[in-house]
Every structure is written in C-alpha cells, then in structure tokens.
C-alpha cells in the first residue's frame, strides 16, 4: 500500500463521512508497530510547528497571555507528545477495563490518524486566522465537536462497543480524570526552565 497524498485525502473524506468504517479500514491495514509510533511522534512535531505559527499570528496581548506555555518549541513538543501518549494509553486501558477488545497498537494507529485529521483542520484555521479571523473562531468550535465525534467512533470501533452514547459518556469521564493528571504534568513542564528554542 502506497501512502500518497491522494490516498490520505481519500481517507480524510471517508473519515468525515463514515468515521467508524474508516477506523475499521485503518485498523485492517495492519501497520507495523514502528509505523504507528513514528506517525504519532511526527504528529506531535507537526502540531508543534503549526501551534507556534498560529501563536506568532496572534495579537500581542494574546501572545503575552500564552507566552509562558509557548516559550520553547521543544517544551511545546514535549507537551504534545505527553498528550498523545496519555490519549493512547487511556483509550486502550480504559476501553479494555470496560470489556473492549482493542489493542495498544490499534489505539496508536487511530490516535495518529485522529491527530492528522485535526492537523488538516488546523491548517485551514491558520489560513482563516490570517484572512478572516471570526471564521477561525468558528472553526475552533467545529474542531472540538469533530474531535469528540471522531474519538467516540474510533474508540467504539477499536473496542467493538455497540453504543456510541455510552462510549461518549466513558470518554467524557476519562477526559475529566486525564485533565487533572495532565494539568499537574504541564505545570511541572511549563514551570521548568526552558532548555531550547
């Protein structure tokens, strides 16, 4: 299988139209574990680049507010990587705890793919941020809804859950618990002296 731009765009379209079926297709491709983990790392780096470009385009007062968290690209990449790692293990372990059948490798693949979809939206946001800022704010809200919708479908497909409603409820409870853990981790990372950038 050749992973070409045309293939990626076709999969993006399929994911938006039928997310659960697209998730099943991604799992059936049988990517090697190293491919999944390298993709996850690449998504963290790409997200860091786009985040810092977006930060540079913000008004001065907004940059001052977010300055402590955006002082170093290396620090931002660390935060992105931590978020993705926690997401992968939460989806895998909590799903298995609730009787799911998903594997860690499957969680890696689907989280990587979900992040790619969100990166595509982030690129569109960057363009609208420069040309039409109010639309960029609307896309931000749309991105949150899309994230939750895709995450629910991906998790349900990974673990073989039949109810999207119960899957969504489980995700919300898990996100709340994970946010507490990540807030603590981020406070340690952001509070540490910058080491690069």
């Amino acid at each position: 299988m050749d992973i070409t731009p045309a293939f990626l765009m076709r999969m993006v379209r399929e994911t938006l139209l039928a997310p659960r079926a697209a998730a099943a297709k991604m799992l059936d491709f049988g990517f090697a574990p190293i491919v999944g983990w390298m993709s996850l790392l690449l998504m963290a780096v790409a997200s860091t680049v786009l985040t810092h470009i977006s930060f540079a385009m913000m008004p001065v007062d907004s940059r001052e507010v977010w300055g402590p968290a955006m002082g170093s690209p290396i620090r931002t990449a660390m935060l992105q990587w931590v978020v993705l790692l926690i997401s992968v293990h939460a989806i895998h372990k909590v799903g298995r705890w609730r009787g799911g059948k998903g594997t860690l490798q499957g969680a890696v693949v689907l989280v990587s793919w979900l992040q790619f979809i969100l990166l595509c939206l982030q690129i569109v946001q960057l363009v609208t941020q420069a040309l039409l800022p109010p639309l960029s704010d609307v896309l931000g809200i749309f991105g949150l809804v899309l994230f939750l919708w895709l995450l629910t479908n991906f998790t349900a497909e990974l673990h073989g859950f039949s109810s999207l409603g119960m899957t969504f409820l489980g995700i919300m409870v898990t996100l709340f618990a994970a946010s507490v853990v990540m807030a603590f981790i981020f406070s340690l990372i952001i509070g540490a002296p910058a080491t690069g950038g």
Side-chain angles (χ1 to χ4, degrees), residues 120-168:
C120 291
L121 180 61
Q122 193 173 357
I123 292 173
V124 176
Q125 277 187 279
L126 283 176
V127 175
T128 57
Q129 185 177 340
L131 301 179
L132 196 59
L135 180 57
S136 179
D137 295 335
V138 174
L139 286 176
I141 298 174
F142 172 75
L144 176 60
V145 174
L146 179 65
F147 164 73
L148 293 173
W149 173 242
L150 293 182
L151 181 60
T152 299
N153 279 270
F154 284 11
T155 302
E157 183 59 33
L158 174 67
H159 289 292
F161 296 146
S162 58
S163 172
L164 290 180
M166 292 303 297
T167 301
F168 175 75

Side-chain angles (χ1 to χ4, degrees), residues 64-112:
E64 290 177 351
V65 172
W66 291 100
M70 300 292 294
S72 166
I74 293 177
R75 181 184 297 165
T76 306
M78 289 172 60
L79 295 179
Q80 295 283 357
W81 181 237
V82 168
V83 169
L84 293 178
L85 285 180
I86 291 177
S87 299
V88 165
H89 287 284
I91 290 172
H92 174 241
K93 294 185 181 299
V94 176
R96 292 297 292 261
W97 174 58
R98 298 304 300 166
K101 63 180 182 180
T103 65
L104 179 61
Q105 174 58 19
V108 172
V109 169
L110 291 184
V111 170
S112 297

